[in-house]
Amino acid sequence: MAKYGRKYTHAVIATDAVVFTIKENGLHALLIKMKKPEYRGYWAVPGGLVKGEEGLETAAFRHLAEKTGVRDVYIEQLQTFGDPKRDPFGRVVSVAYIALVSWDKHELKTSKQYEDVAWFPVSDLPKLAYDHAEIIYTATARLRAKIAYTNIVQGLLPKEFTLTELQRVYETVLGKKVDKRNFRKKILETKIVREVKGKTSGGVHRPAQIY
């Protein structure tokens, strides 16, 4: 990448958003395909520079909407990435965010600056631009750590669900099976879910409580 001259003479701030979903029984991240000559054929997490009078979250939401079509989602700050060599154009400090969405609730659409937008399993990512492999790795580790004590996975769930459905989400995020009895005990002890009236119809199985 060294043949492309450094564009920024002073440090500038950017945002990047790692958007997760559960699709095809796996944890996926949303990526956009680059057109820039220095990164043609590479993919990246959606992001870009922050405008002079723009807040960081506002910039993150703007880039998400403009470059992926994803809007009205909950995001939380992940970490700041500031390696001086992370961008070939100059000193770009990125404030990264995490977002969790249902893949079927958003119509993906990118801008003319990019070739494509698509979901990729985090276990099988394409060639990534900048330090976005590190950003996705960090975001995945943070997500897996936080599901043990927060309700962060609510963005991956419908408003109402059974404990079996919740367990499947946890197993998908963690990438491993969990013990059913221990899982239910811990979830109910944390009080991050609550019962609602009604049960599933059951079908060939016993009706299940809805949360």
Side-chain angles (χ1 to χ4, degrees):
M1 303 299 174
K3 65 180 180 178
Y4 298 95
R6 293 175 74 82
K7 180 178 179 181
Y8 311 117
T9 56
H10 296 84
V12 295
I13 301 174
T15 63
D16 289 300
V18 182
V19 185
F20 288 119
T21 197
I22 290 180
K23 187 173 183 285
E24 298 167 354
N25 297 317
L27 184 65
H28 285 58
L30 186 60
L31 303 175
I32 50 178
K33 194 172 186 180
M34 307 287 287
K35 278 187 177 181
K36 290 181 179 179
E38 66 274 21
Y39 280 122
R40 187 174 297 278
Y42 288 65
W43 292 76
V45 299
L49 297 182
V50 178
K51 294 179 180 179
E53 300 298 323
E54 191 175 36
L56 292 174
E57 281 197 6
T58 300
F61 282 124
R62 175 173 61 83
H63 287 299
L64 262 182
E66 291 176 354
K67 297 172 182 179
T68 69
V70 172
R71 292 177 170 82
D72 301 322
V73 295
Y74 169 79
I75 65 172
E76 66 175 62
Q77 195 172 125
L78 169 64
Q79 184 175 308
T80 299
F81 294 83
D83 189 317
K85 297 181 180 180
R86 65 177 301 276
D87 192 309
F89 285 116
R91 187 76 166 93
V92 181
V93 177
S94 175
V95 181
Y97 289 82
I98 294 179
L100 286 82
V101 304
S102 295
W103 69 269
D104 58 344
K105 291 185 178 179
H106 298 273
E107 183 178 352
L108 301 184
K109 181 181 179 182
T110 193
S111 69
K112 62 181 180 181
Q113 293 176 302
Y114 299 90
E115 288 188 22
D116 200 2
V117 55
W119 293 106
F120 286 89
V122 295
S123 60
D124 188 22
L125 295 170
K127 186 183 292 186
L128 295 168
Y130 308 107
D131 57 351
H132 288 190
E134 179 187 358
I135 292 177
I136 294 175
Y137 176 85
T138 303
T140 304
R142 175 70 62 82
L143 174 61
R144 287 172 174 166
K146 289 196 71 172
I147 65 172
Y149 62 92
T150 73
N151 63 349
I152 191 172
V153 295
Q154 65 180 344
L156 301 172
L157 290 159
K159 184 177 180 180
E160 297 180 353
F161 49 85
T162 66
L163 290 183
T164 297
E165 291 168 336
L166 180 61
Q167 182 176 334
R168 289 197 192 108
V169 170
Y170 272 69
E171 290 176 337
T172 301
V173 171
L174 294 171
K176 63 181 181 181
K177 293 288 185 180
V178 298
D179 180 78
K180 181 177 180 179
R181 183 178 298 177
N182 288 338
F183 172 80
R184 294 184 176 220
K185 180 181 178 182
K186 289 179 180 179
I187 286 295
L188 295 177
E189 284 178 348
T190 60
K191 298 182 180 180
I192 60 175
V193 300
R194 64 178 177 84
E195 291 185 7
V196 296
K197 290 183 178 180
K199 293 187 177 183
T200 61
S201 59
V204 296
H205 304 286
R206 292 174 57 189
Q209 176 64 50
I210 299 173
Y211 291 81

